[in-house]
Amino acid sequence: MLLLVTTFTYSQTFEDKYSRPLSEALSLVEKRFKVRLKYEVDTVGLILNYADFRVRPYSIDETLVNMLSPFDMKATSQGDTLYKIKYYEYPRRVVSDGEKLIPYLESLYDSKEAWEARRDTLRREVRERLGIDPFLEKCSKEKPELTPIREFDGYTVQNFRMKTVNGHTVCGSIYAPKTKGKHPLIICPNGHFENGRYGEVQQQRLGTLARMGAICVDYDLWGWGESEDEVGLAAHRTPEAHVMQALNGIRILDWMIERDDVDKTRVAANGGSGGGTQVVLLTALDDRYTAANPVVSMSSWFDGGCPCESGMPIQLSGGGTCNPEIAAMFAPRPMMIVSDGGDWTSSTPWLEYPFIRRIYNFYEQPENLRNIHLTNEVHDFGPNKRRAVYIFFIDTFGLDATMLDEDKVTIETEDALRFSPRKK
């Protein structure tokens, strides 16, 4: 009977390396440390060698690292007593990683000259790792197609379709003021917020900025909107999306900056979440921008969770970098970073912002860098974040503050904003 019992009970012996099923080992961890584990992984059939020896009685965090690392898993704290178990994600870390990376990067340069040598290396390698130049060289030079202009209170909207490379196109909309003369240009890549560029929040922001005097252009994410009709939704979560979204932004700027009503000395990029990640990349690739405004996106410990933001290994440039250092390449031109307390930008005021400000200090122009931090807000492009954007462009580009009124913006349907009708 004893033999039968030991046969069907997973034994803990020197010969079997004191093994336990991973699920059993983690269950014992829950009881020992009085925590709860939430699983986004499958532990069935996984056996952990030397399971009990991996426990650190003084640290739940070290214990979980020891137990999960052999399976390429990690635990992320969700509060005092809850941990989420996930597979390792290369673009996502924790704030303590940022706290180590930022001082390391700071140790690489202590002067403007040393920083500029680093900057030039980063600029070259980011471009090479993205692999964008061969595609740019093959881009179509045909003029975009345009729909009729639609007139609203203080601004107009016009849709376009532009041929790019390998038979692909990019579609978007131009929001323009009704006033005459030269206007600032703001390229507005959109993030993963609901409905992309067709959403109410995106229209409110671009319509308001247009009423205030700026020409704003947004365009579909790769594999979203009209691009989904062309390449399919699955194409969005590919490294190709990382390249194509940057290429689309560059080609749209090539076209728009040559318009007679555009002031080439006032050219900006503004976007939130994944759109903010695109802002950082576009301004690193293109010297024509004179102002930048990434919103709820930039972190030293998160590169962007979608392959459209991190599918190509640009963060390996220069022996290892991060989006804040790539953003710092924009110094000393005006930049405002908007962050909040409810996402990966929660550390911006005390970690990423001082890091970038140090580089602006090399140029003796720290006043050109701002951070608006909304401690009690979460990851969105809500009213306070949009208002911060408006104020930044009022100050930086001299927009007309008297025209700041989101209620005057007409929210259009998706069909109205598409170049072509949706497929049935």
Side-chain angles (χ1 to χ4, degrees):
M1 179 63 70
L2 178 61
L3 178 61
L4 288 173
V5 170
T6 54
T7 300
F8 290 99
T9 302
Y10 215 92
S11 57
Q12 288 255 295
T13 66
F14 172 81
E15 286 77 13
D16 71 6
K17 301 180 181 179
Y18 298 101
S19 299
R20 284 189 191 275
L22 178 61
S23 57
E24 178 185 303
L26 292 174
S27 179
L28 292 173
V29 166
E30 287 184 293
K31 294 175 182 177
R32 178 174 191 139
F33 290 97
K34 296 180 174 58
V35 297
R36 184 165 65 90
L37 304 180
K38 180 180 178 181
Y39 292 87
E40 293 189 0
V41 299
D42 185 1
T43 61
V44 174
L46 300 182
I47 305 301
L48 180 63
N49 293 332
Y50 306 108
D52 292 355
F53 293 89
R54 295 174 185 270
V55 174
R56 298 295 178 263
Y58 47 82
S59 173
I60 172 68
D61 294 307
E62 290 187 39
T63 296
L64 289 171
V65 168
N66 290 344
M67 289 189 169
L68 297 172
S69 295
F71 306 101
D72 210 24
M73 299 176 185
K74 63 182 292 186
T76 303
S77 175
Q78 304 293 294
D80 292 338
T81 61
L82 176 64
Y83 285 80
K84 185 182 290 185
I85 309 299
K86 308 173 69 173
Y87 288 111
Y88 179 77
E89 299 171 278
Y90 71 92
R92 188 187 300 271
R93 298 170 290 279
V94 294
V95 67
S96 59
D97 293 307
E99 290 176 303
K100 296 170 186 173
L101 178 60
I102 291 296
Y104 162 74
L105 294 176
E106 288 181 328
S107 72
L108 301 180
Y109 33 83
D110 57 5
S111 66
K112 175 182 171 182
E113 292 72 26
W115 156 247
E116 289 185 343
R118 167 77 174 174
R119 178 201 64 193
D120 293 346
T121 297
L122 290 174
R123 180 172 287 132
R124 182 184 69 255
E125 290 194 22
V126 164
R127 198 171 193 99
E128 289 173 353
R129 289 178 182 275
L130 188 65
I132 196 170
D133 286 326
F135 293 98
L136 284 171
E137 290 169 3
K138 295 189 294 182
C139 272
S140 170
K141 299 298 189 291
E142 291 184 39
K143 291 184 177 180
E145 301 170 85
L146 296 166
T147 64
I149 293 173
R150 304 184 296 283
E151 296 201 9
F152 300 104
D153 187 340
Y155 71 104
T156 65
V157 183
Q158 185 176 33
N159 307 333
F160 67 88
R161 180 169 61 196
M162 170 187 281
K163 291 183 179 179
T164 56
V165 66
N166 296 336
H168 295 302
T169 64
V170 57
C171 296
S173 299
I174 304 164
Y175 295 71
K178 285 187 173 180
T179 53
K180 297 188 181 299
K182 297 280 191 179
H183 302 94
L185 173 65
I186 307 176
I187 303 297
C188 300
N190 58 92
H192 299 95
F193 298 120
E194 186 176 3
N195 296 327
R197 73 178 183 89
Y198 311 104
E200 180 175 340
V201 168
Q202 183 85 347
Q203 294 187 56
Q204 282 177 321
R205 187 173 95 257
L206 273 62
T208 301
L209 287 167
R211 280 175 43 81
M212 295 164 63
I215 298 172
C216 298
V217 187
D218 67 353
Y219 48 99
D220 286 317
L221 292 168
W222 182 251
W224 277 34
E226 294 188 77
S227 178
E228 180 184 349
D229 297 342
E230 187 177 285
V231 299
L233 182 61
H236 181 69
R237 296 194 60 81
T238 63
E240 183 180 39
H242 200 184
V243 182
M244 291 302 295
Q245 287 175 182
L247 179 143
N248 290 342
I250 292 171
R251 289 295 295 123
I252 289 168
L253 178 58
D254 289 341
W255 166 50
M256 289 296 301
I257 204 170
E258 296 302 326
R259 281 178 41 144
D260 292 339
D261 56 351
V262 166
D263 179 355
K264 295 181 181 182
T265 68
R266 294 183 292 168
V267 179
N270 165 237
S273 191
T277 307
Q278 287 190 64
V279 166
V280 170
L281 180 56
L282 287 174
T283 56
L285 295 172
D286 202 317
D287 278 336
R288 291 173 292 182
Y289 288 102
T290 63
N293 182 200
V295 177
V296 294
S297 62
M298 190 167 32
S299 173
S300 59
W301 41 282
F302 185 44
D303 300 333
C306 180
C308 82
E309 301 174 70
S310 54
M312 300 299 283
I314 63 172
Q315 275 76 25
L316 299 180
S317 301
T321 184
C322 59
N323 286 336
E325 190 180 36
I326 296 173
M329 294 162 58
F330 198 66
R333 290 164 286 179
M335 177 165 61
M336 181 178 72
I337 305 160
V338 179
S339 54
D340 64 66
D343 62 18
W344 48 88
T345 64
S346 57
S347 59
T348 298
W350 53 269
L351 185 59
E352 289 85 1
Y353 174 64
F355 165 70
I356 300 175
R357 188 177 177 85
R358 175 175 177 260
I359 292 168
Y360 272 72
N361 278 326
F362 290 155
Y363 297 89
E364 299 182 352
Q365 296 186 59
E367 70 281 358
N368 279 353
L369 179 69
R370 307 183 195 181
N371 173 219
I372 301 299
H373 187 71
L374 303 165
T375 305
N376 298 320
E377 296 200 8
V378 296
H379 188 73
D380 62 16
F381 214 140
N384 291 327
K385 298 180 180 78
R386 296 196 301 275
R387 182 166 181 81
V389 171
Y390 303 147
I391 292 172
F392 174 69
F393 286 115
I394 288 169
D395 294 345
T396 305
F397 284 167
L399 300 189
D400 184 356
T402 66
M403 295 294 283
L404 200 174
D405 187 350
E406 289 189 338
D407 291 337
K408 300 291 187 181
V409 175
T410 298
I411 304 303
E412 298 188 89
T413 65
E414 178 175 338
D415 281 337
L417 290 164
R418 292 170 63 97
F419 186 86
S420 301
R422 276 180 286 188
K423 293 180 178 180
K424 302 300 182 184

